[in-house]
Amino acid sequence: MTSSELWTRETADRYDAEEAESSTPAALGPTLDFLTELAGDGRALEFAIGTGRVGVPLRERGVPVAGIELSEHMAAVLRRKADEETLPVVIGDMATTVVPGGFALVYLVYNTITNLLTQDEQVECFRNAARHLEPGGRFVIELGVPPLRFLPPGQMAVPFDVSEQHSGFDTFDLVEQVLVSHHFTRDGDDGRYRRDTSRHRYAWPAELDLMARIAGLELERRVADWDGSPFTQASTKHVSVWRKPA
């Protein structure tokens, strides 16, 4: 097992409800278009497939999808949507777990590579992606750009959401390159908030490119979002595609 924090049954059971807005056909459409085009006629492997927010609708588009998932509880929620024959899932970590067969596409969405809390493990994740890819296949990562430019001197916290139902902010350890996301979510109508935290190792695009080179992959494309908009110095996230040489 890697350093990733393990998702509990309680977290897994409420995950889909909390991510309902990002799971609508309108929200997922550009993601599915992007991944479907890259997969072509080949198979796709999702690292940290979770409850199948992306993998299930991608399979429904006709792309053969398999998954790796560390949390048995998250995978159990996915099983309510698709059986093992339709969408096989191997329980294990995305840095070392091996799925049989070759793939045209390996993808990792929603900042999930940051769940690996050391640089060595993130490098191994790239190596594991390359291990699964057929020649000419692609590895795709969706990841936020570290918001360090919002940190004035002496400040170690950056808010990322302030709404009636949820408040969230990140605190940073600039030496270890680790951030902690703090979530305060209103449950029910009694005004009480549930607090959750999660640790992440943030990485810059250039650092990921070096990890890819170590794994034998080449940067093919980097855009600001799934819609293909240009990546600029003002972009808050990126979708990057690395290719395994044919």
Side-chain angles (χ1 to χ4, degrees):
M1 179 176 172
T2 67
S3 61
S4 296
E5 297 173 347
L6 195 59
W7 292 61
T8 65
R9 181 187 301 275
E10 180 183 23
T11 302
D13 285 343
R14 65 172 182 256
Y15 182 84
D16 283 351
E18 293 183 344
E19 297 297 332
E21 185 175 344
S22 64
S23 303
T24 64
L28 276 180
T31 305
L32 300 177
D33 291 342
F34 195 103
L35 297 175
T36 299
E37 180 180 357
L38 287 181
D41 297 327
R43 303 168 67 212
L45 174 62
E46 181 171 354
F47 283 179
I49 194 169
T51 66
R53 184 183 69 91
V54 175
V56 170
L58 186 63
R59 181 65 184 87
E60 291 171 349
R61 286 199 174 197
V63 178
V65 177
I68 294 173
E69 174 54 43
L70 183 62
S71 169
E72 293 186 21
H73 301 300
M74 296 288 278
V77 175
L78 184 153
R79 278 288 157 260
R80 303 169 194 168
K81 309 170 187 177
D83 60 27
E84 178 69 18
E85 183 176 355
T86 302
L87 204 167
V89 175
V90 176
I91 301 299
D93 68 82
M94 57 187 167
T96 63
T97 302
V98 176
V99 175
F103 296 84
L105 173 66
V106 178
Y107 65 95
L108 182 53
V109 302
Y110 223 33
N111 301 321
T112 310
I113 193 170
T114 66
N115 291 358
L116 299 170
L117 298 178
T118 70
Q119 186 183 68
D120 286 345
E121 288 175 350
Q122 291 179 353
V123 169
E124 288 306 311
C125 182
F126 272 82
R127 284 178 167 154
N128 200 28
R131 183 181 298 123
H132 285 90
L133 286 173
E134 298 169 339
R138 276 92 168 187
F139 182 35
V140 178
I141 286 182
E142 175 191 24
L143 183 60
V145 176
L148 300 189
R149 65 182 182 275
F150 296 117
L151 280 176
Q155 181 174 314
M156 302 306 295
V158 173
F160 58 83
D161 183 44
V162 179
S163 63
E164 185 176 347
Q165 295 300 121
H166 175 263
S167 295
F169 63 92
D170 293 328
T171 54
F172 292 83
D173 183 332
L174 302 181
V175 174
E176 297 297 328
Q177 206 165 307
V178 170
L179 68 85
V180 180
S181 288
H182 305 262
H183 300 265
F184 295 85
T185 307
R186 180 173 292 180
D187 281 336
D189 299 323
D190 60 3
R192 295 186 180 184
Y193 282 82
R194 181 185 74 252
R195 179 180 181 181
D196 299 295
T197 60
S198 59
R199 294 184 301 154
H200 306 269
R201 183 187 185 273
Y202 61 86
W204 300 96
E207 184 181 4
L208 298 181
D209 290 342
L210 182 56
M211 294 180 189
R213 289 179 59 189
I214 291 171
L217 304 177
E218 302 170 347
L219 180 65
E220 182 176 75
R221 184 184 183 195
R222 173 167 292 127
V223 292
D225 210 338
W226 296 106
D227 61 6
S229 52
F231 180 75
T232 71
Q233 63 180 1
S235 299
T236 59
K237 63 178 278 188
H238 62 96
V239 176
S240 296
V241 182
W242 297 272
R243 183 174 179 270
K244 183 174 183 176

